[in-house]
Amino acid sequence: MTARAATTRDESLPSAYSEALEARSIGPLWTALHVLLPQERVTRALPHRWRWAEVRPLLAEAARLVDIEHAERRVLVLCNPGLEGAYAITSTLYAGLQILMPGESAPSHHHTPAALRLVVEGRGAYTTVDGVKCVMEPGDLIITPPMRWHDHGHEGTEPVVWLDGLDIPLVRGFDASWASPMRPACLPETDTDSSEDEFTGAGLVPRRPRYAATGYPQVRWPWRTVRRALASLAAGAPAHEPVVLRHVDPTTGGFPLATMGSEAQWLRPGEATRAERRTAGRVYQVVEGRGESRVGDATLAWEEGDTFVAPPWHWVHHRNLSATVPACLFQFNDEPALRALGLWHEEIESSST
Ligand code: GTQ
């Protein structure tokens, strides 16, 4: 079901009356009540998949056609086909694929929207978050909290591509989107991030952190660590239980960002998950493997590097199409924002499908 445009004119009323209302910026509620408050949740966003095999050459072409100095951020934005060309993948979330070439750097800025990045391909690039150098290797997650200075650099020899997830549409919904002017990227003050030395073991946090207290103690989750944790969890988990890890602030156990959450899921060979739906919208990046996901009425086949979106309140289940190797999905979402606003709900299908 799709959302309809609201109308504020009641055709059964004298047109002079409707005009009198309109002239005074007044609308009758009774023509719009069930659009404003539908009896089912609705979204214009559609389930959709972007194939890495198709996007990759377009990114390579962008790198040839568009100077980084001109672009500042060389990003191809994934626009949900249901959202009429808006720079939005769901009504609240933005996703784009950013490419940086060897030797390039993208200047520093900060902004009110929060950002996270999941590395898709290539080595040698890094993001600096408030002076902390965060190395980018395939599968790594890096967060850029609101109002933290960040720039991107590249010391390697191959193109690097990552998925950017931001809450731009949500923040714009509050008329709160703002960014600083750009300034040249500067050399990182610290060569390692806290995931390399302070948060290397689950359940352990340093008594005295040596990084500046910013409210965001961990900004990077190396895929190496996440993958190892998923593999251990998968090895011991009963077959019917999904293998999912959430990224958390290790000092609180809460979400690392106030608006966006993220998870990594391991699908065992041949595994088919139970359907569930959430009020959060979800953007998936395929880190490893090949499979298909049912999202509402759509079946989205995917392989490594693909990105796909599950709009809010769509039933979602996944299947690993390999009988021999695992598949790994990264996912980011707007769950923390929904929880903070009292809008979080989820349902899990009781029998497996
Ligand atoms: O890398 O700072 O995809 O500011 C959109 C806005 C990336 C970034 C995006 C941004 C960035």
PDB file of all heavy atoms in Angstrom, residues 4-41:
ATOM      1  N   ARG A   4      -1.075   8.237   0.032  1.00  0.00           N
ATOM      2  CA  ARG A   4      -1.722   9.138  -0.930  1.00  0.00           C
ATOM      3  C   ARG A   4      -1.467  10.582  -0.513  1.00  0.00           C
ATOM      4  O   ARG A   4      -1.278  10.874   0.657  1.00  0.00           O
ATOM      5  CB  ARG A   4      -3.221   8.869  -0.968  1.00  0.00           C
ATOM      6  CG  ARG A   4      -3.580   7.534  -1.634  1.00  0.00           C
ATOM      7  CD  ARG A   4      -5.082   7.331  -1.700  1.00  0.00           C
ATOM      8  NE  ARG A   4      -5.668   7.279  -0.372  1.00  0.00           N
ATOM      9  CZ  ARG A   4      -6.690   8.030   0.023  1.00  0.00           C
ATOM     10  NH1 ARG A   4      -7.217   8.915  -0.788  1.00  0.00           N
ATOM     11  NH2 ARG A   4      -7.183   7.898   1.245  1.00  0.00           N
ATOM     12  N   ALA A   5      -1.534  11.462  -1.517  1.00  0.00           N
ATOM     13  CA  ALA A   5      -1.395  12.889  -1.191  1.00  0.00           C
ATOM     14  C   ALA A   5      -2.637  13.337  -0.425  1.00  0.00           C
ATOM     15  O   ALA A   5      -3.745  12.910  -0.712  1.00  0.00           O
ATOM     16  CB  ALA A   5      -1.252  13.683  -2.471  1.00  0.00           C
ATOM     17  N   ALA A   6      -2.442  14.198   0.557  1.00  0.00           N
ATOM     18  CA  ALA A   6      -3.580  14.694   1.331  1.00  0.00           C
ATOM     19  C   ALA A   6      -4.348  15.717   0.496  1.00  0.00           C
ATOM     20  O   ALA A   6      -3.760  16.459  -0.268  1.00  0.00           O
ATOM     21  CB  ALA A   6      -3.078  15.338   2.612  1.00  0.00           C
ATOM     22  N   THR A   7      -5.655  15.730   0.650  1.00  0.00           N
ATOM     23  CA  THR A   7      -6.438  16.797   0.030  1.00  0.00           C
ATOM     24  C   THR A   7      -7.105  17.581   1.152  1.00  0.00           C
ATOM     25  O   THR A   7      -7.408  17.022   2.209  1.00  0.00           O
ATOM     26  CB  THR A   7      -7.495  16.240  -0.951  1.00  0.00           C
ATOM     27  OG1 THR A   7      -8.341  17.313  -1.330  1.00  0.00           O
ATOM     28  CG2 THR A   7      -8.309  15.114  -0.344  1.00  0.00           C
ATOM     29  N   THR A   8      -7.252  18.842   0.917  1.00  0.00           N
ATOM     30  CA  THR A   8      -7.853  19.647   1.978  1.00  0.00           C
ATOM     31  C   THR A   8      -9.166  20.266   1.524  1.00  0.00           C
ATOM     32  O   THR A   8      -9.705  21.125   2.177  1.00  0.00           O
ATOM     33  CB  THR A   8      -6.894  20.757   2.434  1.00  0.00           C
ATOM     34  OG1 THR A   8      -6.533  21.524   1.284  1.00  0.00           O
ATOM     35  CG2 THR A   8      -5.653  20.179   3.078  1.00  0.00           C
ATOM     36  N   ARG A   9      -9.658  19.817   0.352  1.00  0.00           N
ATOM     37  CA  ARG A   9     -10.923  20.407  -0.111  1.00  0.00           C
ATOM     38  C   ARG A   9     -12.044  19.362  -0.050  1.00  0.00           C
ATOM     39  O   ARG A   9     -11.871  18.250  -0.520  1.00  0.00           O
ATOM     40  CB  ARG A   9     -10.768  20.931  -1.538  1.00  0.00           C
ATOM     41  CG  ARG A   9     -11.919  21.846  -1.955  1.00  0.00           C
ATOM     42  CD  ARG A   9     -11.698  22.369  -3.363  1.00  0.00           C
ATOM     43  NE  ARG A   9     -11.075  23.687  -3.385  1.00  0.00           N
ATOM     44  CZ  ARG A   9     -11.609  24.731  -4.056  1.00  0.00           C
ATOM     45  NH1 ARG A   9     -12.747  24.619  -4.708  1.00  0.00           N
ATOM     46  NH2 ARG A   9     -10.977  25.879  -4.070  1.00  0.00           N
ATOM     47  N   ASP A  10     -13.161  19.729   0.550  1.00  0.00           N
ATOM     48  CA  ASP A  10     -14.327  18.852   0.608  1.00  0.00           C
ATOM     49  C   ASP A  10     -15.262  19.280  -0.517  1.00  0.00           C
ATOM     50  O   ASP A  10     -15.873  20.349  -0.454  1.00  0.00           O
ATOM     51  CB  ASP A  10     -15.000  18.999   1.984  1.00  0.00           C
ATOM     52  CG  ASP A  10     -16.259  18.129   2.113  1.00  0.00           C
ATOM     53  OD1 ASP A  10     -16.740  17.621   1.071  1.00  0.00           O
ATOM     54  OD2 ASP A  10     -16.744  17.983   3.244  1.00  0.00           O
ATOM     55  N   GLU A  11     -15.341  18.401  -1.573  1.00  0.00           N
ATOM     56  CA  GLU A  11     -16.085  18.787  -2.783  1.00  0.00           C
ATOM     57  C   GLU A  11     -17.580  18.950  -2.522  1.00  0.00           C
ATOM     58  O   GLU A  11     -18.301  19.542  -3.319  1.00  0.00           O
ATOM     59  CB  GLU A  11     -15.838  17.776  -3.919  1.00  0.00           C
ATOM     60  CG  GLU A  11     -14.382  17.699  -4.403  1.00  0.00           C
ATOM     61  CD  GLU A  11     -13.790  19.023  -4.892  1.00  0.00           C
ATOM     62  OE1 GLU A  11     -14.574  19.932  -5.258  1.00  0.00           O
ATOM     63  OE2 GLU A  11     -12.550  19.158  -4.879  1.00  0.00           O
ATOM     64  N   SER A  12     -18.098  18.417  -1.404  1.00  0.00           N
ATOM     65  CA  SER A  12     -19.535  18.533  -1.132  1.00  0.00           C
ATOM     66  C   SER A  12     -19.883  19.891  -0.491  1.00  0.00           C
ATOM     67  O   SER A  12     -21.049  20.218  -0.315  1.00  0.00           O
ATOM     68  CB  SER A  12     -20.003  17.386  -0.230  1.00  0.00           C
ATOM     69  OG  SER A  12     -19.461  17.564   1.065  1.00  0.00           O
ATOM     70  N   LEU A  13     -18.861  20.655  -0.168  1.00  0.00           N
ATOM     71  CA  LEU A  13     -19.131  21.969   0.447  1.00  0.00           C
ATOM     72  C   LEU A  13     -19.204  23.051  -0.630  1.00  0.00           C
ATOM     73  O   LEU A  13     -18.603  22.903  -1.694  1.00  0.00           O
ATOM     74  CB  LEU A  13     -18.013  22.320   1.433  1.00  0.00           C
ATOM     75  CG  LEU A  13     -17.896  21.431   2.656  1.00  0.00           C
ATOM     76  CD1 LEU A  13     -16.726  21.894   3.508  1.00  0.00           C
ATOM     77  CD2 LEU A  13     -19.184  21.461   3.468  1.00  0.00           C
ATOM     78  N   PRO A  14     -19.896  24.144  -0.365  1.00  0.00           N
ATOM     79  CA  PRO A  14     -19.912  25.256  -1.331  1.00  0.00           C
ATOM     80  C   PRO A  14     -18.480  25.701  -1.618  1.00  0.00           C
ATOM     81  O   PRO A  14     -17.672  25.808  -0.683  1.00  0.00           O
ATOM     82  CB  PRO A  14     -20.684  26.369  -0.594  1.00  0.00           C
ATOM     83  CG  PRO A  14     -21.408  25.687   0.517  1.00  0.00           C
ATOM     84  CD  PRO A  14     -20.653  24.440   0.861  1.00  0.00           C
ATOM     85  N   SER A  15     -18.170  25.925  -2.891  1.00  0.00           N
ATOM     86  CA  SER A  15     -16.773  26.251  -3.214  1.00  0.00           C
ATOM     87  C   SER A  15     -16.366  27.573  -2.562  1.00  0.00           C
ATOM     88  O   SER A  15     -15.195  27.755  -2.220  1.00  0.00           O
ATOM     89  CB  SER A  15     -16.543  26.248  -4.715  1.00  0.00           C
ATOM     90  OG  SER A  15     -17.445  27.144  -5.324  1.00  0.00           O
ATOM     91  N   ALA A  16     -17.332  28.481  -2.357  1.00  0.00           N
ATOM     92  CA  ALA A  16     -16.979  29.752  -1.701  1.00  0.00           C
ATOM     93  C   ALA A  16     -16.442  29.497  -0.289  1.00  0.00           C
ATOM     94  O   ALA A  16     -15.514  30.168   0.181  1.00  0.00           O
ATOM     95  CB  ALA A  16     -18.201  30.676  -1.637  1.00  0.00           C
ATOM     96  N   TYR A  17     -17.021  28.476   0.351  1.00  0.00           N
ATOM     97  CA  TYR A  17     -16.553  28.145   1.713  1.00  0.00           C
ATOM     98  C   TYR A  17     -15.129  27.583   1.659  1.00  0.00           C
ATOM     99  O   TYR A  17     -14.248  28.018   2.415  1.00  0.00           O
ATOM    100  CB  TYR A  17     -17.504  27.140   2.371  1.00  0.00           C
ATOM    101  CG  TYR A  17     -17.042  26.729   3.760  1.00  0.00           C
ATOM    102  CD1 TYR A  17     -17.190  27.597   4.841  1.00  0.00           C
ATOM    103  CD2 TYR A  17     -16.411  25.490   3.976  1.00  0.00           C
ATOM    104  CE1 TYR A  17     -16.735  27.244   6.104  1.00  0.00           C
ATOM    105  CE2 TYR A  17     -15.951  25.135   5.238  1.00  0.00           C
ATOM    106  CZ  TYR A  17     -16.119  26.015   6.297  1.00  0.00           C
ATOM    107  OH  TYR A  17     -15.664  25.672   7.540  1.00  0.00           O
ATOM    108  N   SER A  18     -14.890  26.630   0.731  1.00  0.00           N
ATOM    109  CA  SER A  18     -13.540  26.056   0.598  1.00  0.00           C
ATOM    110  C   SER A  18     -12.524  27.146   0.288  1.00  0.00           C
ATOM    111  O   SER A  18     -11.413  27.142   0.812  1.00  0.00           O
ATOM    112  CB  SER A  18     -13.516  24.999  -0.506  1.00  0.00           C
ATOM    113  OG  SER A  18     -14.304  23.901  -0.105  1.00  0.00           O
ATOM    114  N   GLU A  19     -12.927  28.082  -0.590  1.00  0.00           N
ATOM    115  CA  GLU A  19     -12.002  29.175  -0.938  1.00  0.00           C
ATOM    116  C   GLU A  19     -11.725  30.070   0.268  1.00  0.00           C
ATOM    117  O   GLU A  19     -10.595  30.533   0.463  1.00  0.00           O
ATOM    118  CB  GLU A  19     -12.559  29.993  -2.111  1.00  0.00           C
ATOM    119  CG  GLU A  19     -12.321  29.281  -3.442  1.00  0.00           C
ATOM    120  CD  GLU A  19     -13.365  29.605  -4.509  1.00  0.00           C
ATOM    121  OE1 GLU A  19     -14.020  30.673  -4.421  1.00  0.00           O
ATOM    122  OE2 GLU A  19     -13.535  28.764  -5.425  1.00  0.00           O
ATOM    123  N   ALA A  20     -12.753  30.271   1.081  1.00  0.00           N
ATOM    124  CA  ALA A  20     -12.560  31.096   2.290  1.00  0.00           C
ATOM    125  C   ALA A  20     -11.559  30.430   3.234  1.00  0.00           C
ATOM    126  O   ALA A  20     -10.703  31.092   3.828  1.00  0.00           O
ATOM    127  CB  ALA A  20     -13.903  31.325   2.995  1.00  0.00           C
ATOM    128  N   LEU A  21     -11.662  29.092   3.335  1.00  0.00           N
ATOM    129  CA  LEU A  21     -10.681  28.368   4.169  1.00  0.00           C
ATOM    130  C   LEU A  21      -9.278  28.514   3.585  1.00  0.00           C
ATOM    131  O   LEU A  21      -8.330  28.878   4.287  1.00  0.00           O
ATOM    132  CB  LEU A  21     -11.045  26.890   4.270  1.00  0.00           C
ATOM    133  CG  LEU A  21     -12.305  26.498   5.050  1.00  0.00           C
ATOM    134  CD1 LEU A  21     -12.449  24.971   5.064  1.00  0.00           C
ATOM    135  CD2 LEU A  21     -12.273  27.026   6.484  1.00  0.00           C
ATOM    136  N   GLU A  22      -9.177  28.193   2.278  1.00  0.00           N
ATOM    137  CA  GLU A  22      -7.850  28.200   1.644  1.00  0.00           C
ATOM    138  C   GLU A  22      -7.206  29.588   1.731  1.00  0.00           C
ATOM    139  O   GLU A  22      -6.005  29.703   1.966  1.00  0.00           O
ATOM    140  CB  GLU A  22      -7.959  27.737   0.185  1.00  0.00           C
ATOM    141  CG  GLU A  22      -8.126  26.227   0.101  1.00  0.00           C
ATOM    142  CD  GLU A  22      -8.721  25.739  -1.220  1.00  0.00           C
ATOM    143  OE1 GLU A  22      -8.664  26.481  -2.224  1.00  0.00           O
ATOM    144  OE2 GLU A  22      -9.225  24.604  -1.237  1.00  0.00           O
ATOM    145  N   ALA A  23      -8.025  30.612   1.557  1.00  0.00           N
ATOM    146  CA  ALA A  23      -7.493  31.981   1.593  1.00  0.00           C
ATOM    147  C   ALA A  23      -6.911  32.314   2.959  1.00  0.00           C
ATOM    148  O   ALA A  23      -6.072  33.203   3.089  1.00  0.00           O
ATOM    149  CB  ALA A  23      -8.587  32.980   1.229  1.00  0.00           C
ATOM    150  N   ARG A  24      -7.375  31.614   3.980  1.00  0.00           N
ATOM    151  CA  ARG A  24      -6.876  31.884   5.343  1.00  0.00           C
ATOM    152  C   ARG A  24      -5.908  30.793   5.830  1.00  0.00           C
ATOM    153  O   ARG A  24      -5.642  30.684   7.024  1.00  0.00           O
ATOM    154  CB  ARG A  24      -8.059  32.032   6.297  1.00  0.00           C
ATOM    155  CG  ARG A  24      -8.806  33.327   6.056  1.00  0.00           C
ATOM    156  CD  ARG A  24     -10.195  33.365   6.660  1.00  0.00           C
ATOM    157  NE  ARG A  24     -10.857  34.618   6.270  1.00  0.00           N
ATOM    158  CZ  ARG A  24     -11.430  34.833   5.072  1.00  0.00           C
ATOM    159  NH1 ARG A  24     -11.450  33.870   4.154  1.00  0.00           N
ATOM    160  NH2 ARG A  24     -11.980  35.994   4.803  1.00  0.00           N
ATOM    161  N   SER A  25      -5.410  29.958   4.887  1.00  0.00           N
ATOM    162  CA  SER A  25      -4.476  28.867   5.235  1.00  0.00           C
ATOM    163  C   SER A  25      -5.070  27.921   6.272  1.00  0.00           C
ATOM    164  O   SER A  25      -4.457  27.611   7.295  1.00  0.00           O
ATOM    165  CB  SER A  25      -3.146  29.441   5.750  1.00  0.00           C
ATOM    166  OG  SER A  25      -2.581  30.301   4.801  1.00  0.00           O
ATOM    167  N   ILE A  26      -6.288  27.479   5.977  1.00  0.00           N
ATOM    168  CA  ILE A  26      -6.979  26.539   6.872  1.00  0.00           C
ATOM    169  C   ILE A  26      -7.438  25.353   6.026  1.00  0.00           C
ATOM    170  O   ILE A  26      -7.873  25.529   4.887  1.00  0.00           O
ATOM    171  CB  ILE A  26      -8.216  27.220   7.525  1.00  0.00           C
ATOM    172  CG1 ILE A  26      -7.773  28.383   8.430  1.00  0.00           C
ATOM    173  CG2 ILE A  26      -9.048  26.199   8.318  1.00  0.00           C
ATOM    174  CD1 ILE A  26      -8.923  29.262   8.903  1.00  0.00           C
ATOM    175  N   GLY A  27      -7.321  24.155   6.582  1.00  0.00           N
ATOM    176  CA  GLY A  27      -7.821  22.981   5.877  1.00  0.00           C
ATOM    177  C   GLY A  27      -8.779  22.208   6.756  1.00  0.00           C
ATOM    178  O   GLY A  27      -8.602  22.167   7.979  1.00  0.00           O
ATOM    179  N   PRO A  28      -9.809  21.591   6.158  1.00  0.00           N
ATOM    180  CA  PRO A  28     -10.684  20.721   6.950  1.00  0.00           C
ATOM    181  C   PRO A  28      -9.941  19.423   7.277  1.00  0.00           C
ATOM    182  O   PRO A  28      -9.239  18.889   6.413  1.00  0.00           O
ATOM    183  CB  PRO A  28     -11.864  20.453   6.016  1.00  0.00           C
ATOM    184  CG  PRO A  28     -11.302  20.617   4.635  1.00  0.00           C
ATOM    185  CD  PRO A  28     -10.166  21.593   4.730  1.00  0.00           C
ATOM    186  N   LEU A  29     -10.077  18.929   8.482  1.00  0.00           N
ATOM    187  CA  LEU A  29      -9.403  17.672   8.821  1.00  0.00           C
ATOM    188  C   LEU A  29     -10.116  16.481   8.201  1.00  0.00           C
ATOM    189  O   LEU A  29      -9.485  15.522   7.788  1.00  0.00           O
ATOM    190  CB  LEU A  29      -9.317  17.507  10.348  1.00  0.00           C
ATOM    191  CG  LEU A  29      -8.698  16.182  10.816  1.00  0.00           C
ATOM    192  CD1 LEU A  29      -7.267  16.017  10.298  1.00  0.00           C
ATOM    193  CD2 LEU A  29      -8.724  16.069  12.330  1.00  0.00           C
ATOM    194  N   TRP A  30     -11.452  16.552   8.094  1.00  0.00           N
ATOM    195  CA  TRP A  30     -12.215  15.351   7.740  1.00  0.00           C
ATOM    196  C   TRP A  30     -11.890  14.793   6.363  1.00  0.00           C
ATOM    197  O   TRP A  30     -12.109  13.622   6.130  1.00  0.00           O
ATOM    198  CB  TRP A  30     -13.722  15.594   7.920  1.00  0.00           C
ATOM    199  CG  TRP A  30     -14.263  16.770   7.140  1.00  0.00           C
ATOM    200  CD1 TRP A  30     -14.792  16.737   5.890  1.00  0.00           C
ATOM    201  CD2 TRP A  30     -14.316  18.123   7.578  1.00  0.00           C
ATOM    202  NE1 TRP A  30     -15.170  18.005   5.506  1.00  0.00           N
ATOM    203  CE2 TRP A  30     -14.895  18.883   6.521  1.00  0.00           C
ATOM    204  CE3 TRP A  30     -13.942  18.800   8.749  1.00  0.00           C
ATOM    205  CZ2 TRP A  30     -15.100  20.265   6.612  1.00  0.00           C
ATOM    206  CZ3 TRP A  30     -14.152  20.168   8.825  1.00  0.00           C
ATOM    207  CH2 TRP A  30     -14.727  20.899   7.764  1.00  0.00           C
ATOM    208  N   THR A  31     -11.347  15.606   5.455  1.00  0.00           N
ATOM    209  CA  THR A  31     -10.948  15.055   4.146  1.00  0.00           C
ATOM    210  C   THR A  31      -9.580  14.373   4.204  1.00  0.00           C
ATOM    211  O   THR A  31      -9.198  13.672   3.284  1.00  0.00           O
ATOM    212  CB  THR A  31     -10.866  16.174   3.088  1.00  0.00           C
ATOM    213  OG1 THR A  31      -9.978  17.186   3.582  1.00  0.00           O
ATOM    214  CG2 THR A  31     -12.229  16.768   2.787  1.00  0.00           C
ATOM    215  N   ALA A  32      -8.844  14.608   5.262  1.00  0.00           N
ATOM    216  CA  ALA A  32      -7.446  14.154   5.312  1.00  0.00           C
ATOM    217  C   ALA A  32      -7.162  13.212   6.479  1.00  0.00           C
ATOM    218  O   ALA A  32      -6.083  12.632   6.552  1.00  0.00           O
ATOM    219  CB  ALA A  32      -6.520  15.364   5.423  1.00  0.00           C
ATOM    220  N   LEU A  33      -8.136  13.033   7.340  1.00  0.00           N
ATOM    221  CA  LEU A  33      -7.893  12.305   8.589  1.00  0.00           C
ATOM    222  C   LEU A  33      -7.251  10.940   8.365  1.00  0.00           C
ATOM    223  O   LEU A  33      -6.272  10.587   9.003  1.00  0.00           O
ATOM    224  CB  LEU A  33      -9.218  12.146   9.348  1.00  0.00           C
ATOM    225  CG  LEU A  33      -9.125  11.485  10.722  1.00  0.00           C
ATOM    226  CD1 LEU A  33      -8.231  12.292  11.661  1.00  0.00           C
ATOM    227  CD2 LEU A  33     -10.517  11.331  11.332  1.00  0.00           C
ATOM    228  N   HIS A  34      -7.785  10.184   7.378  1.00  0.00           N
ATOM    229  CA  HIS A  34      -7.297   8.812   7.210  1.00  0.00           C
ATOM    230  C   HIS A  34      -6.019   8.732   6.382  1.00  0.00           C
ATOM    231  O   HIS A  34      -5.405   7.683   6.291  1.00  0.00           O
ATOM    232  CB  HIS A  34      -8.418   7.933   6.642  1.00  0.00           C
ATOM    233  CG  HIS A  34      -9.579   7.893   7.579  1.00  0.00           C
ATOM    234  ND1 HIS A  34      -9.501   7.254   8.802  1.00  0.00           N
ATOM    235  CD2 HIS A  34     -10.804   8.476   7.524  1.00  0.00           C
ATOM    236  CE1 HIS A  34     -10.652   7.430   9.445  1.00  0.00           C
ATOM    237  NE2 HIS A  34     -11.471   8.165   8.698  1.00  0.00           N
ATOM    238  N   VAL A  35      -5.641   9.865   5.799  1.00  0.00           N
ATOM    239  CA  VAL A  35      -4.316   9.924   5.168  1.00  0.00           C
ATOM    240  C   VAL A  35      -3.274  10.250   6.243  1.00  0.00           C
ATOM    241  O   VAL A  35      -2.206   9.644   6.303  1.00  0.00           O
ATOM    242  CB  VAL A  35      -4.293  10.983   4.041  1.00  0.00           C
ATOM    243  CG1 VAL A  35      -2.885  11.108   3.469  1.00  0.00           C
ATOM    244  CG2 VAL A  35      -5.283  10.585   2.956  1.00  0.00           C
ATOM    245  N   LEU A  36      -3.635  11.177   7.118  1.00  0.00           N
ATOM    246  CA  LEU A  36      -2.709  11.532   8.207  1.00  0.00           C
ATOM    247  C   LEU A  36      -2.551  10.374   9.184  1.00  0.00           C
ATOM    248  O   LEU A  36      -1.469  10.147   9.715  1.00  0.00           O
ATOM    249  CB  LEU A  36      -3.214  12.774   8.959  1.00  0.00           C
ATOM    250  CG  LEU A  36      -3.414  14.045   8.130  1.00  0.00           C
ATOM    251  CD1 LEU A  36      -3.936  15.175   8.996  1.00  0.00           C
ATOM    252  CD2 LEU A  36      -2.113  14.453   7.447  1.00  0.00           C
ATOM    253  N   LEU A  37      -3.648   9.669   9.421  1.00  0.00           N
ATOM    254  CA  LEU A  37      -3.652   8.570  10.386  1.00  0.00           C
ATOM    255  C   LEU A  37      -4.233   7.319   9.730  1.00  0.00           C
ATOM    256  O   LEU A  37      -5.365   6.936  10.000  1.00  0.00           O
ATOM    257  CB  LEU A  37      -4.504   8.952  11.616  1.00  0.00           C
ATOM    258  CG  LEU A  37      -4.030  10.187  12.390  1.00  0.00           C
ATOM    259  CD1 LEU A  37      -5.062  10.602  13.421  1.00  0.00           C
ATOM    260  CD2 LEU A  37      -2.698   9.921  13.058  1.00  0.00           C
ATOM    261  N   PRO A  38      -3.458   6.684   8.826  1.00  0.00           N
ATOM    262  CA  PRO A  38      -3.974   5.498   8.128  1.00  0.00           C
ATOM    263  C   PRO A  38      -4.122   4.321   9.087  1.00  0.00           C
ATOM    264  O   PRO A  38      -3.494   4.293  10.147  1.00  0.00           O
ATOM    265  CB  PRO A  38      -2.907   5.230   7.070  1.00  0.00           C
ATOM    266  CG  PRO A  38      -1.663   5.826   7.610  1.00  0.00           C
ATOM    267  CD  PRO A  38      -2.066   6.987   8.469  1.00  0.00           C
ATOM    268  N   GLN A  39      -4.913   3.347   8.689  1.00  0.00           N
ATOM    269  CA  GLN A  39      -5.117   2.208   9.580  1.00  0.00           C
ATOM    270  C   GLN A  39      -4.027   1.147   9.454  1.00  0.00           C
ATOM    271  O   GLN A  39      -4.000   0.192  10.213  1.00  0.00           O
ATOM    272  CB  GLN A  39      -6.525   1.653   9.384  1.00  0.00           C
ATOM    273  CG  GLN A  39      -7.483   2.551  10.164  1.00  0.00           C
ATOM    274  CD  GLN A  39      -8.938   2.399   9.818  1.00  0.00           C
ATOM    275  OE1 GLN A  39      -9.303   1.555   8.994  1.00  0.00           O
ATOM    276  NE2 GLN A  39      -9.759   3.213  10.436  1.00  0.00           N
ATOM    277  N   GLU A  40      -3.169   1.325   8.449  1.00  0.00           N
ATOM    278  CA  GLU A  40      -1.975   0.481   8.348  1.00  0.00           C
ATOM    279  C   GLU A  40      -0.797   1.422   8.159  1.00  0.00           C
ATOM    280  O   GLU A  40      -0.952   2.481   7.569  1.00  0.00           O
ATOM    281  CB  GLU A  40      -2.012  -0.334   7.050  1.00  0.00           C
ATOM    282  CG  GLU A  40      -2.902  -1.500   7.004  1.00  0.00           C
ATOM    283  CD  GLU A  40      -2.861  -2.049   5.562  1.00  0.00           C
ATOM    284  OE1 GLU A  40      -1.772  -2.445   5.115  1.00  0.00           O
ATOM    285  OE2 GLU A  40      -3.900  -2.020   4.907  1.00  0.00           O
ATOM    286  N   ARG A  41       0.396   0.962   8.573  1.00  0.00           N
ATOM    287  CA  ARG A  41       1.581   1.785   8.291  1.00  0.00           C
ATOM    288  C   ARG A  41       1.822   1.810   6.791  1.00  0.00           C
ATOM    289  O   ARG A  41       1.703   0.778   6.132  1.00  0.00           O
ATOM    290  CB  ARG A  41       2.799   1.182   8.980  1.00  0.00           C
ATOM    291  CG  ARG A  41       2.786   1.374  10.479  1.00  0.00           C
ATOM    292  CD  ARG A  41       3.992   0.694  11.079  1.00  0.00           C
ATOM    293  NE  ARG A  41       4.134   1.010  12.470  1.00  0.00           N
ATOM    294  CZ  ARG A  41       3.488   0.404  13.444  1.00  0.00           C
ATOM    295  NH1 ARG A  41       2.636  -0.568  13.174  1.00  0.00           N
ATOM    296  NH2 ARG A  41       3.687   0.755  14.694  1.00  0.00           N
TER     297      ARG A  41
END
